[in-house]
Amino acid sequence: MTQTLHTVAVIGGGTMGAGIVEVAASAGHTVLLYDISSTAIARAIDGIVQRLAGRVSRGKMSAEQAQALLARIVPATELNHLAEAQLVIEAASERLEIKKALFSELAEICAPSTLLTSNTSSISITAIAAGIKHPERVAGLHFFNPAPVMKLVEVVSGLATSSEVVEQLCQCVSHWGKQPVRCRSTPGFIVNRVARPYYAEAWRALEEQVAPAEVIDAALRDGGGFPMGPLALTDLIGQDVNFAVTCSVFNAFWQDRRFLPSLLQQELALAGRLGKKSGHGIYRWPVEAPPELALAAVSAQSAAKNIKRDVVTELDEVLLLETTGETALALSMQYQRPVVVYDYAAGDTVVLASAATNPPSATDKAVYDFQQQGKKVLHIADYPGLLVWRTVAMLANEALDAVQKGVASADDIDTAMRLGVNYPHGPIAWGESLGWRRVLRLLENLQRYYGEERYRPSALLREKALLEIRHE
């Protein structure tokens, strides 16, 4: 295979293609930009010119550096102009038949040593490479938007991709200032697979009317430490785009219930309420002041008796328990006393739920206890696993399933989720810090409560929970 990648070709003048062109040209490569539309090529280059002008005006680069970068970008109006490239990155239409035809042509035009890669986020690399000459040099290079800013690149191996090609691509990506992660070509690769529960659990809570959208988002953002609430994030991505990715992963996994799409999200997409780009989705855009949250409050009162044992707090007759995936009502009936359950809280916000049989004073005591700790309190309906805990448990479980099935290493999965979607922790490291037995118990309780395969614990999670017992 080619050892030095002097010339890089990018196919597709859309947002991702233009971003990849900028990245490669910034690293010193001559970059051939091809699109079937000359207008798209001109628009892509104009966009790069504007971005570079902004960097120059902010003192991030000199005018001479910007001109030198632009001089390395060469428009290509014919596909055979890409023959001299040592690396081709396709960022065209997300349709398998188009990609297969394109790669078949490239395999004839380019040298056998040329690396042929796709920026696809969902299409099988194995399928793209099938039937072309030298399929061992075909791989995925999945950048994240915006490509010049986002650090992560998923380097995806198809069934025929050689390890030498993967290694060379990882070295190239690192040279470009990006963080490569290796993964196998399976539906959703790493990020689009492991991230599904972040959206799915929020949609379920909204569908079951557990809390308003702004409360669900605040719980995950201010309580879980995620950079943006899941529902606001789907508005930003586009409800149609996010829904399509979920459907793609769901169908690719033979309609596994873990990836079940949301009927409510489908309704939004059908109505054209696509989020920020249409002006209305879950929220109206532009979002002005954040919606006023239903923060629980109590009047000043004397401090309640507070005796802590592990994660159990007694507030006089009230039991305050961290959620383990059971409802407050079920626990109240078990203990024969008022129960309030609370969620994982990494930030200054905590979520509470009360048993329906509790007197109002029971909730007041729990709220006051957390307020005394400087916490803001969100009170939601009695919901097993609450909002943050069940989401983190599902993310960790999905990540372990991907590890067990050889999709990627645990380290690469954690890196991908931190850099690709800015999670505060990698889901595997997060699960380990929370305790695998606690994660397993919560999922088993959810599976028992719903009677659904959606919450089934992975075999690797069960193994880790057993090893945790052994190491005590």
Side-chain angles (χ1 to χ4, degrees):
M1 289 297 161
T2 306
Q3 294 303 308
T4 305
L5 307 176
H6 294 295
T7 302
V8 175
V10 176
I11 299 175
T15 301
M16 286 303 300
I20 295 167
V21 167
E22 185 178 335
V23 169
S26 296
H29 299 276
T30 297
V31 184
L32 308 174
L33 172 56
Y34 170 80
D35 195 289
I36 56 173
S37 166
S38 58
T39 303
I41 294 174
R43 187 168 53 242
I45 293 175
D46 184 58
I48 295 170
V49 169
Q50 292 181 37
R51 286 195 295 275
L52 295 182
R55 293 178 65 190
V56 170
S57 68
R58 296 192 302 272
K60 300 293 185 182
M61 70 187 312
S62 69
E64 292 75 20
Q65 288 173 319
Q67 286 301 316
L69 189 157
L70 290 169
R72 291 192 287 271
I73 301 173
V74 181
T77 55
E78 300 290 339
L79 197 63
N80 59 17
H81 293 170
L82 309 187
E84 63 187 87
Q86 289 87 42
L87 168 63
V88 179
I89 305 172
E90 172 272 322
S93 173
E94 281 288 271
R95 291 170 58 188
L96 176 59
E97 63 274 17
I98 291 176
K99 292 187 189 295
K100 282 184 69 69
L102 189 56
F103 274 68
S104 292
E105 284 191 71
L106 289 169
E108 299 292 339
I109 292 167
C110 299
S113 59
T114 301
L115 307 183
L116 304 180
T117 68
S118 176
N119 182 58
T120 183
S121 61
S122 60
I123 295 176
S124 166
I125 299 301
T126 297
I128 292 171
I132 77 162
K133 291 182 178 179
H134 306 293
E136 69 279 356
R137 39 81 176 264
V138 177
L141 275 185
H142 181 215
F143 290 76
F144 288 75
N145 193 30
V149 176
M150 298 297 284
K151 283 286 194 184
L152 184 72
V153 179
E154 292 177 324
V155 180
V156 187
S157 301
L159 202 58
T161 309
S162 76
S163 58
E164 292 82 7
V165 165
V166 171
E167 184 58 36
Q168 188 170 5
L169 289 172
C170 287
Q171 289 177 11
C172 175
V173 165
S174 297
H175 173 67
W176 291 356
K178 304 296 183 183
Q179 175 63 57
V181 291
R182 296 168 169 82
C183 65
R184 193 162 54 81
S185 182
T186 57
F189 307 145
I190 299 174
V191 173
N192 278 328
R193 172 184 178 167
V194 176
R196 290 346 299 158
Y198 187 61
Y199 310 111
E201 291 307 308
W203 285 113
R204 181 161 211 167
L206 193 62
E207 287 173 343
E208 295 188 13
Q209 303 182 69
V210 172
E214 59 269 21
V215 173
I216 295 169
D217 276 346
L220 274 296
R221 183 187 65 239
D222 303 331
F226 291 91
M228 181 178 282
L231 299 173
L233 184 53
T234 59
D235 260 2
L236 193 64
I237 294 167
Q239 296 299 343
D240 53 340
V241 174
N242 187 260
F243 180 67
V245 172
T246 300
C247 289
S248 173
V249 173
F250 176 61
N251 288 318
F253 276 100
W254 311 117
Q255 302 190 340
D256 190 314
R257 304 289 287 186
R258 302 199 324 270
F259 307 107
L260 184 69
S262 161
L263 289 173
L264 180 53
Q265 188 176 31
Q266 178 179 246
E267 286 289 285
L268 290 175
L270 291 173
R273 287 177 50 174
L274 307 181
K276 184 178 181 181
K277 62 185 175 183
S278 71
H280 194 193
I282 289 288
Y283 302 102
R284 288 196 176 274
W285 294 80
V287 177
E288 297 175 355
E292 197 66 34
L293 297 181
L295 294 170
V298 294
S299 58
Q301 54 182 282
S302 59
K305 182 183 178 185
N306 191 342
I307 304 171
K308 294 195 173 184
R309 295 194 295 269
D310 298 326
V311 294
V312 179
T313 302
E314 292 190 54
L315 306 172
D316 297 329
E317 79 285 3
V318 181
L319 275 183
L320 182 59
L321 307 172
E322 186 172 15
T323 183
T324 58
E326 296 179 273
T327 63
L329 178 60
L331 292 167
S332 180
M333 294 178 70
Q334 176 184 339
Y335 292 113
Q336 292 296 299
R337 58 193 293 185
V339 169
V340 175
V341 291
Y342 64 94
D343 209 344
Y344 172 92
D348 64 355
T349 298
V350 66
V351 177
L352 302 183
S354 305
T357 51
N358 284 2
S361 61
T363 302
D364 289 347
K365 288 177 180 179
V367 170
Y368 182 75
D369 183 69
F370 278 107
Q371 287 178 338
Q372 289 295 97
Q373 301 172 43
K375 299 285 188 182
K376 298 174 184 176
V377 178
L378 297 174
H379 193 211
I380 67 170
D382 191 10
Y383 190 54
L386 298 178
L387 297 172
V388 182
W389 238 115
R390 69 191 277 162
T391 299
V392 174
M394 287 290 280
L395 289 169
N397 191 51
E398 192 58 46
L400 288 180
D401 190 65
V403 170
Q404 186 170 34
K405 291 173 179 168
V407 174
S409 70
D411 285 346
D412 275 356
I413 289 173
D414 275 357
T415 297
M417 301 314 291
R418 285 188 296 101
L419 298 182
V421 278
N422 295 316
Y423 285 179
H425 311 284
I428 297 176
W430 208 346
E432 186 172 12
S433 70
L434 291 173
W436 292 120
R437 279 186 296 163
R438 297 174 74 201
V439 173
L440 175 61
R441 181 183 177 190
L442 186 132
L443 290 176
E444 287 179 331
N445 283 334
L446 289 176
Q447 187 179 24
R448 188 159 43 248
Y449 180 86
Y450 287 105
E452 292 181 18
E453 282 291 287
R454 174 181 180 128
Y455 298 102
R456 70 180 184 273
S458 73
L460 186 54
L461 172 57
R462 294 187 183 281
E463 179 183 315
K464 284 184 173 293
L466 288 171
L467 289 172
E468 207 171 58
I469 296 171
R470 182 186 177 191
H471 290 149
E472 281 188 347

